[in-house]
Amino acid sequence: MVKTSNPNTLFRANSLATKGVDELMKMIGRPYLRRVLKPSLDKIHKENASCEIDPARLRSNDILACNLDNLKRNIDSVYSAIINSGNDCPFTMSNLFSKLQKQAINRFPDTSDIRYTAVSGFIFLRLFAPAILNPKLFQLQSRRPSHDTSRTLTLVSKVIQ
């Protein structure tokens, strides 16, 4: 955090420290992620519905409005699960977030919303987004997703970041 001059780029670099924290988050956060994300990810995998909204990527049998509805439903499911999970967050992670928040406030005292953006940026960028993009790595799924499901997970992850 000391080397970061712009609060909008916090936690975007891949340093030895961030990689270590990433591994800690995976280890401690895995049961939390299973409770929070697995039901939504299971549903996305099971449905395997097209959520493609990029006109250049649409297949001939895709209907943009249906795909958009599918994508919105999946985003709502994942986002609601995350937002409603605050009380389930493991103590060690909450403690880490509290320390990150204090350091960010000290580092960027003139940034009024840093107390919120530092923690939310960290948890979404370093925990939720990677788990959504690669659920097998986080033991949330036993197999790799299909092409359509992988694209859906990418789109969901982009929105929640």
Side-chain angles (χ1 to χ4, degrees):
M1 193 176 309
V2 173
K3 293 181 181 179
T4 304
S5 60
N6 181 343
N8 296 318
T9 60
L10 270 176
F11 313 119
R12 299 226 177 242
N14 282 319
S15 67
L16 183 58
T18 57
K19 288 180 183 188
V21 171
D22 287 349
E23 289 304 312
L24 176 69
M25 297 275 280
K26 269 190 234 175
M27 187 175 66
I28 294 169
R30 193 169 282 129
Y32 170 63
L33 289 171
R34 287 186 70 77
R35 284 190 308 276
V36 175
L37 293 179
K38 189 164 178 25
S40 295
L41 297 181
D42 284 348
K43 188 174 180 184
I44 291 170
H45 278 257
K46 183 179 177 187
E47 289 177 354
N48 197 31
S50 180
C51 294
E52 187 55 67
I53 56 172
D54 180 350
R57 292 179 177 227
L58 288 174
R59 296 178 297 221
S60 59
N61 61 338
D62 280 338
I63 300 170
L64 181 60
C66 290
N67 290 5
L68 185 58
D69 287 343
N70 292 338
L71 181 58
K72 285 179 182 177
R73 185 182 65 251
N74 289 326
I75 291 167
D76 286 345
S77 174
V78 170
Y79 190 73
S80 294
I82 292 170
I83 294 304
N84 293 318
S85 73
N87 292 334
D88 296 329
C89 188
F91 174 77
T92 303
M93 289 173 58
S94 293
N95 193 29
L96 172 67
F97 299 149
S98 176
K99 289 178 182 181
L100 287 172
Q101 183 183 55
K102 286 175 187 165
Q103 286 183 358
I105 290 168
N106 288 337
R107 176 70 178 96
F108 302 102
D110 297 331
T111 306
S112 61
D113 61 350
I114 195 70
R115 70 177 322 113
Y116 307 110
T117 58
V119 173
S120 63
F122 183 85
I123 195 167
F124 279 93
L125 186 67
R126 294 286 176 181
L127 184 67
F128 289 122
I132 293 166
L133 286 170
N134 195 346
K136 187 172 189 250
L137 179 66
F138 286 79
Q139 299 174 350
L140 300 173
Q141 295 289 310
S142 60
R143 57 186 166 79
R144 296 212 181 275
S146 69
H147 175 74
D148 282 348
T149 300
S150 182
R151 178 68 178 152
T152 296
L153 296 175
T154 298
L155 293 171
V156 169
S157 176
K158 284 182 176 185
V159 171
I160 68 156
Q161 282 187 55

